[in-house]
Amino acid sequence: MNINIKRGGDDYFFNRLFSYLSSELEVEIKEMTQLRGNVYLVETVKTRFILKGYSDLRKLKIQQAFTSSLRKSGFDHSYRFYNQNKDPLQFHGSYYGLIEYIDHHEKRFDYGVHSDREKGVELLNGFHDHTSVLVPSYAGMLPKTDLPRKWTHRKNEFAKNLPRINYYVNKAITEELLEWADFSLANFVKLKGELENNAPTILHGDVAHHNFLRSKEGKLYLIDFDLISSGSPAFDMLQYANRILPFLDWQFESLKKINHLNKWLDSDAFLAGLLYPADILREWNRLLRNRTQTHPYSLAPIIEMTVGQFQQRKQFQEEVKSRLDY
């Protein structure tokens, strides 16, 4: 058999993984390509599928069960796991699932496109509608969303990174970013109960643009449920708003025009959450964690996000604070 592997790692590991799959699956594998980490695109003589590894069997089983429940609930805008009807694939300490491959459209989903922003939030809202009925079934399996804990950890990591960040960004800017984070956290913690009074749903937890996939036929899919949790749908919507605001030039009025998001803008808790500079803190922490901060290609986008957009973000902060009703 000719092994055709496209990857960016250890040849020995990939060759052994290829051989293991060939012995376990009842199809002939033609090609295997590493997409990222422990995720591979596998092409057989008949079809393609995604092979994804999980660190423990419980995580794989939850993903398999959730995507099946999601489909049974009537939400057909995501992938399914293939049922192997045998023991799970286990190789080098990871458990592997076989996921339906969705051939993507040449026009990728883009938060910079108005219609995509509208379709994305519409899909996310539909996802919440369907997963709200699944909450009782997954009560013992999924964690409850704890945004204050997550944001506090992110802020503390950013604060520890300040000596390196201030090599590239004026100290006055980073000090103000931390002030925004502190103000947002303090008020969000105080007010979040008003959001938690909403009926809980299962949250996606990572509404980055790459988790919205447009199929070759033009249908929009929501993918990658590794970070699912339970909580108010407002928490996913907060993250969605933070993702799209740079493309709205940080204009609050533009946010008010977006269906499914605008209904949350009367909530002081939601407004307080909007003030948290989640994207800047996340990207600096990720950059420094990966030790790539000196590479100009990696630095340029985060410096633009931090410095280039600073005045727009500051005006947004002032606009939102003026709307807080307390």
Side-chain angles (χ1 to χ4, degrees):
M1 177 183 296
N2 293 323
I3 299 177
N4 187 6
I5 299 176
K6 299 178 181 178
R7 76 331 160 235
D10 178 60
D11 284 337
Y12 180 68
F13 174 84
F14 284 98
N15 288 344
R16 288 197 61 199
L17 177 58
F18 188 101
S19 298
Y20 171 74
L21 290 174
S22 298
S23 66
E24 292 292 320
L25 302 181
E26 297 176 356
V27 291
E28 181 183 344
I29 300 175
K30 292 172 54 182
E31 183 172 289
M32 184 166 72
T33 306
Q34 184 180 27
L35 301 179
R36 64 185 183 280
N38 218 3
V39 182
Y40 309 86
L41 172 61
V42 180
E43 184 172 353
T44 72
V45 293
K46 293 183 178 180
T47 187
R48 291 177 172 179
F49 61 84
I50 299 295
L51 179 76
K52 185 169 183 177
Y54 296 85
S55 58
D56 64 64
L57 184 58
R58 182 177 181 274
K59 290 181 179 179
L60 171 59
K61 291 295 185 182
I62 288 175
Q63 292 296 309
Q64 290 173 326
F66 176 70
T67 52
S68 175
S69 298
L70 195 56
R71 184 59 63 100
K72 289 176 182 177
S73 76
F75 187 86
D76 63 353
H77 291 257
S78 192
Y79 52 66
R80 293 171 287 190
F81 279 78
Y82 291 117
N83 184 7
Q84 293 300 295
N85 293 318
K86 58 193 304 187
D87 292 336
L89 298 169
Q90 184 181 9
F91 183 77
H92 272 234
S94 293
Y95 294 88
Y96 288 85
L98 275 55
I99 301 173
E100 174 187 10
Y101 176 76
I102 302 170
D103 200 3
H104 62 77
H105 197 280
E106 60 180 13
K107 185 181 178 183
R108 301 294 182 101
F109 180 86
D110 183 355
Y111 275 145
V113 177
H114 173 78
S115 59
D116 281 1
R117 294 193 295 269
E118 297 279 351
K119 291 174 183 174
V121 75
E122 178 75 32
L123 181 59
L124 187 59
N125 187 69
F127 172 78
H128 291 155
D129 284 345
H130 284 83
T131 61
S132 62
V133 301
L134 302 178
V135 172
S137 302
Y138 288 86
M141 302 183 202
L142 302 180
K144 291 185 178 180
T145 297
D146 189 348
L147 280 184
R149 183 172 177 271
K150 175 182 176 182
W151 286 351
T152 298
H153 175 79
R154 184 175 293 180
K155 185 200 75 169
N156 290 342
E157 184 178 357
F158 181 83
K160 289 179 181 178
N161 285 329
L162 280 181
R164 285 184 286 174
I165 296 171
N166 288 145
Y167 184 79
Y168 306 102
V169 179
N170 189 287
K171 188 176 179 180
I173 290 179
T174 55
E175 286 179 348
E176 191 151 1
L177 288 171
L178 285 175
E179 287 177 8
W180 296 351
D182 286 335
F183 181 89
S184 172
L185 264 169
N187 287 280
F188 187 77
V189 168
K190 182 170 62 176
L191 299 165
K192 67 185 179 70
E194 68 183 51
L195 297 178
E196 292 171 336
N197 287 332
N198 292 283
T201 187
I202 295 178
L203 305 175
H204 184 276
D206 185 12
V207 295
H209 68 91
H210 54 258
N211 286 329
F212 291 89
L213 188 153
R214 181 181 288 109
S215 73
K216 199 170 185 177
E217 294 73 32
K219 183 176 179 178
L220 193 61
Y221 288 78
L222 189 59
I223 64 172
D224 195 349
F225 304 105
D226 288 357
L227 297 181
I228 53 175
S229 62
S230 64
S232 167
F235 298 154
D236 261 351
M237 291 301 183
L238 265 175
Q239 189 183 105
Y240 195 92
N242 185 261
R243 294 279 184 173
I244 68 172
L245 272 165
F247 301 99
L248 302 177
D249 296 324
W250 293 90
Q251 296 294 315
F252 188 84
E253 289 300 317
S254 296
L255 206 58
K256 287 170 63 177
K257 297 175 183 177
I258 298 178
N259 289 331
H260 308 299
L261 272 181
N262 51 17
K263 69 180 182 181
W264 299 103
L265 299 181
D266 291 330
S267 162
D268 283 347
F270 195 87
L271 294 178
L274 283 178
L275 296 174
Y276 188 83
D279 54 344
I280 294 179
L281 273 57
R282 178 189 65 241
E283 294 306 317
W284 273 113
N285 290 342
R286 179 183 298 164
L287 197 69
L288 298 177
R289 215 179 292 135
N290 295 337
R291 301 184 183 278
T292 59
Q293 71 270 25
T294 57
H295 196 294
Y297 181 80
S298 302
L299 276 168
I302 185 63
I303 291 178
E304 166 58 24
M305 182 186 293
T306 310
V307 180
Q309 299 178 19
F310 182 74
Q311 289 303 323
Q312 286 181 320
R313 288 171 181 261
K314 187 170 183 176
Q315 289 173 5
F316 178 78
Q317 291 275 325
E318 293 169 356
E319 166 77 4
V320 173
K321 286 178 181 177
S322 73
R323 292 173 177 272
L324 288 171
D325 189 25
Y326 61 87

